[in-house]
Amino acid sequence: MMNEVINVANKTPIEIALQIDDEGYTTSKKLYSWLELNPAHYARWVKENITENPFAEENEFSPLKVKTSKQGGRPTEDYRITASLAKRISMATKSERGEDARKYFLGCEQALKLVAEANHKKELERAKGIAVRQALTKALQQSNENERMHGHAYSTYTNVIYKSIFGKNASQLREEYGIGKKDNLRDYFSEEELKAVQSAEMLVSGLISYGWGYDQIKDFIMQNVPKQLAA
């Protein structure tokens, strides 16, 4: 039962509907049945969409033989077809189910577009973040904070920023995300979280430049950054 649940979870909704097996195949009869087409036209449909389909590769289908329920009846043509071919046929079919398939794939395309746009925005925030971190590092070096903290100024201030935004330091966040020290923690932040971290880092850089000390900055950040995020 557990394996069945896992197998279904690894399939897309359209693959479940088309009854794609674990090897990535369905049959022409299953597909025809799902498309809810006239049974009387099955042989012609097979010829047009599978055996003589100019866009179907030879390795995308192979013949099967299934006997009819009538005793002594002639075997009915059936073909083992790939998921890719089944999806293409379903999208090209002029029926209500074919329209459902088209809407499904258009929805997938739109979802991928939104994901790509979100990833692009996130990459821009990462690029901005590099410049912001460089500015913070420079401010720490010029203020001698890094020397005073024996080379740990950046990580110390970063933990203060993370605590103010997430309520956890870098180590605790890594544990929460299940990642190691070599993994980039910021890869796991959302676009809004990256913006929040960058804003806090710019604020810290400014306060350091004004000559504020660690304790002053820590108190100010912990009191004000959460309020800024909530606004």
Side-chain angles (χ1 to χ4, degrees):
M1 182 66 178
M2 180 59 71
N3 288 335
E4 291 177 5
V5 172
I6 293 172
N7 289 338
V8 169
N10 288 336
K11 294 185 177 72
T12 63
I14 194 70
E15 289 173 341
I16 295 171
L18 297 178
Q19 300 180 60
I20 304 299
D21 62 27
D22 295 340
E23 295 179 351
Y25 291 87
T26 186
T27 71
S28 57
K29 292 182 75 68
K30 287 179 181 178
L31 175 59
Y32 196 79
S33 175
W34 182 78
L35 290 170
E36 297 180 343
L37 300 174
N38 189 333
H41 300 155
Y42 174 73
R44 185 178 65 188
W45 176 88
V46 166
K47 184 177 180 180
E48 292 176 351
N49 292 276
I50 300 176
T51 59
E52 295 185 11
N53 182 346
F55 303 106
E57 302 289 338
E58 288 186 7
N59 62 354
E60 288 189 300
F61 64 92
S62 56
L64 297 171
K65 291 292 182 181
V66 179
K67 288 187 177 181
T68 62
S69 58
K70 283 185 178 182
Q71 190 173 4
R74 292 181 60 190
T76 306
E77 278 189 310
D78 196 5
Y79 289 83
R80 188 170 186 249
I81 59 178
T82 64
S84 175
L85 180 57
K87 291 172 185 178
R88 300 200 310 271
I89 292 173
S90 65
M91 283 191 289
T93 300
K94 295 179 180 180
S95 71
E96 186 174 337
R97 282 291 177 84
E99 182 63 18
D100 289 341
R102 286 188 288 276
K103 288 179 179 178
Y104 171 82
F105 287 110
L106 284 172
C108 290
E109 183 181 21
Q110 184 62 27
L112 288 173
K113 182 180 178 182
L114 293 173
V115 169
E117 290 175 354
N119 287 338
H120 178 63
K121 290 179 181 179
K122 197 169 182 179
E123 288 302 320
L124 288 177
E125 291 304 321
R126 285 191 184 124
K128 293 177 187 176
I130 292 173
V132 171
R133 291 197 294 277
Q134 288 175 341
L136 176 56
T137 301
K138 185 176 181 180
L140 289 168
Q141 291 172 341
Q142 291 177 340
S143 67
N144 295 320
E145 275 287 83
N146 199 45
E147 183 179 346
R148 186 179 70 79
M149 293 184 174
H150 306 290
H152 299 293
Y154 182 82
S155 60
T156 301
Y157 278 95
T158 296
N159 276 329
V160 170
I161 291 170
Y162 286 170
K163 285 279 284 186
S164 69
I165 295 171
F166 304 103
K168 298 177 182 179
N169 61 29
S171 178
Q172 291 169 329
L173 286 171
R174 288 181 182 281
E175 184 176 351
E176 179 180 313
Y177 292 124
I179 60 175
K181 291 183 178 180
K182 292 183 179 180
D183 295 306
N184 188 347
L185 182 56
R186 299 189 189 212
D187 288 343
Y188 296 82
F189 294 166
S190 68
E191 180 189 347
E192 292 304 314
E193 289 169 340
L194 286 171
K195 287 181 179 179
V197 171
Q198 291 163 24
S199 295
E201 287 177 333
M202 287 189 286
L203 177 59
V204 169
S205 296
L207 295 177
I208 290 173
S209 299
Y210 278 120
W212 284 35
Y214 171 73
D215 290 333
Q216 288 177 291
I217 293 174
K218 178 181 177 181
D219 290 342
F220 185 84
I221 292 295
M222 294 301 294
Q223 291 174 15
N224 292 281
V225 168
K227 294 178 183 178
Q228 291 176 354
L229 293 173

